[in-house]
């Protein structure tokens, strides 16, 4: 898939929003990608994740296990694992720290990729990788549907992105005047009022 085709899928799902958003990193942005608007369409999700699975195979070869950080990575992690014929597991936070639970494990010799939905700073991916440090498998790298950093995020491993979509983001103390005039919204699991699809 081309970059334009990928972004068209997000636009068609109403997932590219414009306004003033507080990102999970704490930074501010005039654009927010509400990926669950894409994930509510299984066919669209399958198309995007199959394309990323093909890029993963080209980069790393055979993958045995896909690990995703909860909650955002679970759906794409599952779909990519399905396309790869791999197992799908996830880490979740307990006392603020990612860890494998529910009996999930990585076995000796298994080839592993971490799948995230969107990468901005790479912090949650690094936390996910740190949680796997005592597992005996081989971490091949990280994959994401959209890399907002343009390849600049430090994710702690080689990164394969389906698409780069660089959108400015700002320290909240250094907002441009046009963004500062708009009340900020903390998106995510809450409904977003006052944002418009772009």
């Amino acid at each position: 898939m081309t970059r334009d085709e990928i972004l068209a899928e997000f636009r068609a799902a109403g997932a590219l929003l414009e306004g003033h958003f507080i990102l999970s990193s704490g930074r501010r942005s005039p654009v927010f990608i509400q990926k669950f608007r894409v994930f509510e369409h299984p066919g669209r999700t399958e198309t995007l994740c199959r394309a990323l699975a093909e890029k993963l195979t080209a980069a790393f070869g055979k993958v045995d296990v896909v690990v995703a950080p909860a909650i955002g990575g679970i759906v794409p992690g599952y779909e990519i694992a399905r396309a790869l014929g791999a197992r799908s597991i996830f880490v979740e936070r307990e006392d603020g720290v990612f860890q494998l639970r529910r009996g999930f494990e990585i076995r000796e010799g298994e080839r592993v990729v971490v799948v995230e939905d969107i990468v901005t700073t790479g912090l949650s991916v690094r936390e996910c990788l740190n949680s796997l440090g005592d597992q005996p498998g081989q971490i091949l790298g990280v994959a994401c549907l959209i890399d907002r950093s343009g390849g600049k995020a430090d994710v702690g491993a080689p990164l394969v992105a389906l698409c780069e979509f660089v959108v400015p983001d700002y320290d909240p103390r250094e907002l441009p005047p046009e963004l500062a005039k708009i009340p900020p919204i903390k998106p995510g699991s809450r409904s977003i009022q006052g944002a418009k699809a772009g």
Side-chain angles (χ1 to χ4, degrees):
M1 297 181 75
T2 67
R3 180 180 183 276
D4 287 345
E5 289 170 337
I6 294 158
L7 292 178
E9 292 285 352
F10 279 80
R11 287 193 181 95
L16 291 181
L17 306 177
E18 297 175 359
H20 179 179
F21 303 101
I22 303 171
L23 304 177
S24 59
S25 63
R27 294 181 65 81
R28 306 293 181 85
S29 178
V31 175
F32 183 74
I33 304 167
Q34 182 56 281
K35 65 269 182 174
F36 279 99
R37 295 303 309 275
V38 173
F39 298 159
E40 69 181 326
H41 301 281
R44 182 169 277 135
T45 303
E46 180 184 14
T47 297
L48 292 168
C49 290
R50 185 184 305 117
L52 182 50
E54 290 169 3
K55 289 186 80 167
L56 274 171
T57 298
F60 301 126
K62 184 179 186 308
V63 173
D64 300 305
V65 183
V66 172
V67 181
I71 290 176
I74 292 177
V75 172
Y78 179 86
E79 278 297 325
I80 289 167
R82 187 158 70 113
L84 293 171
R87 287 194 301 122
S88 173
I89 63 177
F90 57 87
V91 295
E92 55 194 307
R93 292 192 189 276
E94 184 172 5
D95 298 325
V97 179
F98 276 137
Q99 52 189 293
L100 287 173
R101 299 175 63 198
R102 305 172 193 274
F104 291 146
E105 64 179 356
I106 297 169
R107 296 184 281 271
E108 187 73 42
E110 288 189 311
R111 296 166 55 84
V112 181
V113 294
V114 170
V115 169
E116 178 64 293
D117 48 10
I118 296 168
V119 166
T120 301
T121 65
L123 176 60
S124 66
V125 174
R126 290 193 306 274
E127 290 176 334
C128 181
L129 286 169
N130 287 341
S131 74
L132 303 177
D134 61 349
Q135 296 292 317
Q138 177 189 1
I139 305 292
L140 303 172
V142 174
C144 66
L145 291 173
I146 294 185
D147 177 6
R148 284 181 50 122
S149 79
K152 295 178 182 174
D154 174 15
V155 297
L159 175 64
V160 175
L162 182 59
C163 173
E164 288 186 1
F165 181 57
V166 180
V167 176
D169 59 77
Y170 306 95
D171 184 295
R173 297 162 297 192
E174 300 173 357
L175 297 177
E178 63 275 12
L179 193 59
K181 291 177 185 176
I182 304 169
I185 299 168
K186 177 74 171 111
S189 58
R190 297 187 310 187
S191 63
I192 300 176
Q193 303 293 328
K196 57 184 180 179

